[in-house]
Amino acid sequence: MLGKIWNWIDDRSGFSDVVMPMLEHVVPRDARWWYVFGSATLCAFIVQVLTGIALAMVYVPGGDAAYESLVYITHDATLGYLVRGMHYYGATAMVVLAVVHMTQVFLHASYKYPREMNWMSGVVVLFVVLGMAFTGQLLRWDANGVWSVMVAAEMAARVPFIGAYISQFLLGGETVGGSTLSRFFAIHVFILPGLIFAGVGLHLWLILRHGISEMPKADQPVVPETYKEDYEARLEKTGVPFWPIAAWRDVVFSTLMVAVIMGCAIFAGPPTLGPAPDPANIHTNPMPDWYFWWYFAVLSMLPPELETYIILGMPVLGAIGLFIVPLLSNRGNRAPSKRPWALATVIVGATAFVVLTIYGYRKPWSPDFDVKPLPPEVVRSKDPGIQHGAVLVREKGCLYCHDVDGFGGHRGPELSVIGDRLDRGELVIRINNGGYNMPSFASSLTAEELRLIVDFLLTRTDHPDTDAGEDKSD
């Protein structure tokens, strides 16, 4: 009976005539484990679609209800903890696998003739995936997500002539509010997934049209004039059907990936929600998801006069550079042994990414708003005035950016031995007038508070046994 039903459906729909030839298309026999990353990326996208639909059924994209709905999903909804965790780790898997897939294609030079458009469509999909990851951060609607969007809007506002309009479009007004959330929800749920569906569809069609590239061989350079004939001849000799002979590796790897996503969701859980957004609370340190840390680390090291150029230019130049790779070299050797510059590019890029990501994780450019009060062993004085000065150093925000014996931020210079470098007059001038990335405190400190802070700072020397608070200007 089931066979008859299927035959009836197949006869009317033409499934076997359309879909089966695609599944059974011939691929090179040596298309082995190197080739599983593309299908795994598609599988991760399917995980995102399914978990995203489940979350959208409960998530409320409006005002304070958004944050409360996420709290409900995480702690009270049936399997909400698991679904939200899978959506988060699925996004990470999708970004990682897309980058790994493009790296493999780059190393094997699979972007050469006739697969230039395969590469170009993949570049577009990669940037749309990154857009999905970024817009999803705001939908958490906690303080970190909201302030991250405000930072992004400020970056967009630097675009010449139209920056203000782009910023207002992103925010849905002059500042973050309910309209911002609705706008990002629409972009995240409808626009960007639609672009991914279109990009993936084009990508798959191009794969079926041009076939999967073979493993690169040093004695098989790409010659556009004869490549297609040579490729077809090799497939006739050694090719195998994708389904079921070659596809089992894709199935195994994708299944393992889904299991890892589910395991992370079960044992590590979804990302912790920060406090609810409060525009009055400026002691928030916005931090993007980890795959953007490297970019923020780069921006933190720039002099102010270059920030705008890098903020606007780096993404554009990066996208253009990736997009035109096949136009610069679509013939010749594909083997990495014949293209050592390609291997060096990947190694240097991966190393830079790891180093900058670690640097971004440490956030040395961001104030530390959670710094603890200086303990007695750091204050090193029983003088009430010195002790009060140590308290003021924290209360007035000095420790947010300056470190004293391991306590404080790292945005500004360390103050552990500042008493050896500056005298009383120099400290007063520096505190009152401010400096590079340091605000002026002249209007926020009384004369007595300034004196107490300077007294404490003068005790910070390599020879703490000298008289505390000694005035070096005498």
Side-chain angles (χ1 to χ4, degrees), residues 343-357:
L343 185 60
T345 299
V346 171
I347 292 175
V348 171
T351 302
F353 174 80
V354 171
V355 171
L356 290 172
T357 298

Side-chain angles (χ1 to χ4, degrees), residues 203-452:
H203 199 68
L204 291 176
W205 163 248
L206 292 170
I207 290 174
L208 292 172
R209 174 171 172 75
H210 299 300
I212 296 176
S213 64
E214 318 101 309
M215 286 292 290
K217 296 180 175 62
D219 59 347
Q220 291 181 358
V222 174
V223 181
E225 292 76 13
T226 61
Y227 177 80
K228 288 187 176 181
E229 293 79 6
D230 295 341
Y231 178 76
E232 293 295 334
R234 288 192 290 268
L235 283 187
E236 288 182 7
K237 292 181 179 179
T238 62
V240 296
F242 174 73
W243 180 268
I245 296 178
W248 70 268
R249 296 182 183 87
D250 298 78
V251 173
V252 169
F253 187 80
S254 295
T255 302
L256 178 62
M257 178 208 63
V258 174
V260 171
I261 291 174
M262 185 173 294
C264 291
I266 293 173
F267 297 107
T272 303
L273 286 174
D278 180 7
N281 179 19
I282 63 172
H283 290 177
T284 299
N285 185 17
M287 191 70 175
D289 287 330
W290 68 269
Y291 28 81
F292 293 116
W293 291 353
W294 70 271
Y295 183 56
F296 279 69
V298 170
L299 297 181
S300 74
M301 294 185 286
L302 296 174
E305 59 270 15
L306 293 180
E307 283 183 355
T308 298
Y309 298 103
I310 300 301
I311 287 172
L312 302 180
M314 180 180 287
V316 174
L317 293 178
I320 294 175
L322 288 173
F323 195 79
I324 66 174
V325 163
L327 302 180
L328 300 176
S329 174
N330 75 332
R331 60 168 63 226
N333 288 300
R334 292 180 51 221
S337 60
K338 297 290 186 178
R339 300 164 54 248
W341 60 268
L343 185 60
T345 299
V346 171
I347 292 175
V348 171
T351 302
F353 174 80
V354 171
V355 171
L356 290 172
T357 298
I358 294 173
Y359 184 78
Y361 172 74
R362 294 176 177 175
K363 302 178 294 184
W365 67 86
S366 300
D368 182 2
F369 296 117
D370 297 322
V371 63
K372 305 299 182 184
L374 295 177
E377 58 270 21
V378 172
V379 177
R380 301 186 314 208
S381 176
K382 296 182 180 180
D383 185 319
I386 301 299
Q387 293 177 346
H388 191 192
V391 172
L392 289 172
V393 163
R394 176 177 177 272
E395 290 182 351
K396 296 300 181 179
C398 304
L399 289 185
Y400 294 167
C401 298
H402 298 279
D403 176 87
V404 177
D405 287 352
F407 290 81
H410 301 280
R411 185 69 180 93
E414 186 176 352
L415 302 181
S416 298
V417 291
I418 188 66
D420 286 333
R421 302 199 307 269
L422 300 178
D423 61 29
R424 181 178 295 275
E426 291 170 332
L427 285 170
V428 169
I429 292 173
R430 186 68 56 86
I431 294 171
N432 276 334
N433 296 337
Y436 175 70
N437 276 342
M438 175 179 172
S440 168
F441 285 85
S443 61
S444 59
L445 291 176
T446 65
E448 179 64 13
E449 289 173 336
L450 176 61
R451 183 187 68 80
L452 292 172

Side-chain angles (χ1 to χ4, degrees), residues 1-9:
M1 179 62 69
L2 292 177
K4 291 181 179 180
I5 293 174
W6 168 248
N7 290 334
W8 187 91
I9 295 174

